[in-house]
Amino acid sequence: MLDPRQLQALSAVVEQRSFAAAAHGLSLTVAAVSLRIKALEESLGQRLLVRGKRVRPTAAGQSLLAHAKRVQLMEADLLGALAGSAPGLQQRAHWHSLSVAVNADSVASWFLPGVAPLLLQQRLLLDVWIDDQDHTHDALHSGEVLGCVSTLAQAMPGCRAEPLGTMRYRCVATPEVAQRSHHPAGALSVHRLLEWPAVIFNRKDALQDRFLAQHFGLHQAHYPRHFAPAIDAFEAAIELGLGWGMVPELHLQRRPASATPLVDLLPGATVEVALYWHHWAHEPLSAQRLTEAVKAAAAAALGPVLPG
């Protein structure tokens, strides 16, 4: 039998990336957390963590962490069902947490609005890991989350990948930046454009490079860059005229009329990003409900996944 206290210590260390932070969160000493994990490793006969500046799970640790999360969710589902069948227990039904990895563009635009009714109805807490859509899959692979929105179409063993739809991005800037990026005759000059900085979400963001490759045949182009790793800061930087950037159509459609106007630098030219929901093949009931809510939200907000 696996010791739940040892599994709790393992989960805390992996989530916090350090023994000290995990110990603080569990109200234990670092030595106590270390002893619990050492005992777990000895009982299983293999290493579960790679120690270093940033602690990370081994392959065995990833498998055990995913198992522990599934067991926790199944227990929470059972307790919820028992509370629902016993009127005296309903008021004491506990909230329980679901961890997911989602790209920043999706979180506020369609993901949270789509799953909010389920979270409130089922007393679910959402632990959202924000990462680029090309990298969210890493958190599922490590066992740290139960589902992720990703650009990868291939599911890893033990999981399923379901198409969600397509997010469409447009290259935009303020009218002043747009005017300086065009020829006097009116056509966009890619050379003039690249004299201006691009506003980029973070160093994993490759949308602007995809735009340049797809519409101008430019690969590994060199140009100045601002990095603004927050949605409000990212869009504010573009509105302030600091440069041009790739913004989802969903965000552009919902901009208030009072917002600084943004110009589509190359009308009709978009970058299409197909998104997939990766999740465990065998999910606890609460995770199944989340999967259905995510799929329904995406179907209502995103374009269809393009073939091929």
Side-chain angles (χ1 to χ4, degrees):
M1 296 292 292
L2 296 170
D3 187 324
R5 295 178 304 170
Q6 295 172 356
L7 291 176
Q8 182 187 45
L10 176 67
S11 297
V13 170
V14 172
E15 289 174 1
Q16 299 294 333
R17 293 289 198 270
S18 82
F19 281 80
H24 179 75
L26 296 174
S27 299
L28 296 171
T29 64
V30 173
V33 171
S34 181
L35 285 172
R36 289 185 182 183
I37 293 178
K38 182 179 180 181
L40 182 60
E41 290 179 324
E42 289 178 349
S43 68
L44 296 175
Q46 53 190 310
R47 289 280 188 180
L48 300 175
L49 295 174
V50 177
R51 275 77 168 173
K53 288 185 177 181
R54 287 177 60 84
V55 182
R56 58 184 176 84
T58 63
Q62 293 172 2
S63 299
L64 186 58
L65 187 61
H67 167 77
K69 287 184 177 293
R70 284 194 289 266
V71 170
Q72 290 170 359
L73 286 176
M74 287 190 292
E75 289 179 349
D77 288 340
L78 175 60
L79 292 174
L82 292 175
S85 63
L89 295 177
Q90 289 179 4
Q91 296 299 320
R92 289 185 289 170
H94 293 294
W95 294 79
H96 56 281
S97 179
L98 301 175
S99 300
V100 296
V102 187
N103 60 308
D105 289 336
S106 292
V107 168
S109 61
W110 66 268
F111 189 92
L112 283 179
V115 303
L118 172 71
L119 302 180
L120 294 170
Q121 179 185 14
Q122 298 296 324
R123 298 176 69 84
L124 300 174
L125 302 173
L126 201 61
D127 183 2
V128 181
W129 295 51
I130 300 293
D131 205 342
D132 184 83
Q133 60 266 15
D134 295 337
H135 298 269
T136 50
H137 192 261
D138 295 340
L140 180 64
H141 184 265
S142 68
E144 294 164 299
V145 301
L146 59 86
C148 69
V149 176
S150 173
T151 55
L152 299 178
Q154 182 65 42
M156 68 182 188
C159 291
R160 293 176 180 165
E162 304 194 52
L164 292 176
T166 301
M167 286 198 78
R168 180 177 292 117
Y169 291 78
R170 295 189 177 277
C171 183
V172 299
T174 60
E176 293 76 16
V177 172
Q179 183 179 11
R180 295 172 182 174
S181 302
H182 283 68
H183 289 296
L188 177 66
S189 165
V190 68
H191 299 293
R192 291 190 179 192
L193 176 66
L194 297 186
E195 291 176 356
W196 283 91
V199 179
I200 300 172
F201 188 76
N202 61 28
R203 285 168 175 78
K204 297 178 181 179
D205 184 2
L207 285 170
Q208 65 288 335
D209 289 328
R210 288 180 59 179
F211 173 79
L212 294 171
Q214 183 175 326
H215 298 291
F216 296 99
L218 293 178
H219 299 274
Q220 298 182 336
H222 296 285
Y223 49 90
R225 308 171 188 224
H226 294 291
F227 292 99
I231 289 296
D232 53 350
F234 170 79
E235 295 190 6
I238 298 175
E239 291 175 354
L240 290 168
L242 297 183
W244 54 279
M246 304 299 298
V247 177
E249 274 193 351
L250 281 174
H251 292 202
L252 295 172
Q253 292 167 358
R254 298 173 184 179
R255 285 170 55 79
S258 58
T260 302
L262 296 178
V263 176
D264 193 341
L265 295 179
L266 194 62
T270 62
V271 172
E272 311 280 343
V273 177
L275 299 177
Y276 299 83
W277 176 245
H278 291 250
H279 61 95
W280 296 329
H282 302 289
E283 296 183 300
L285 181 58
S286 54
Q288 292 176 22
R289 289 170 173 161
L290 179 66
T291 287
E292 294 306 313
V294 170
K295 290 162 59 178
L302 304 180
V305 173
L306 302 177

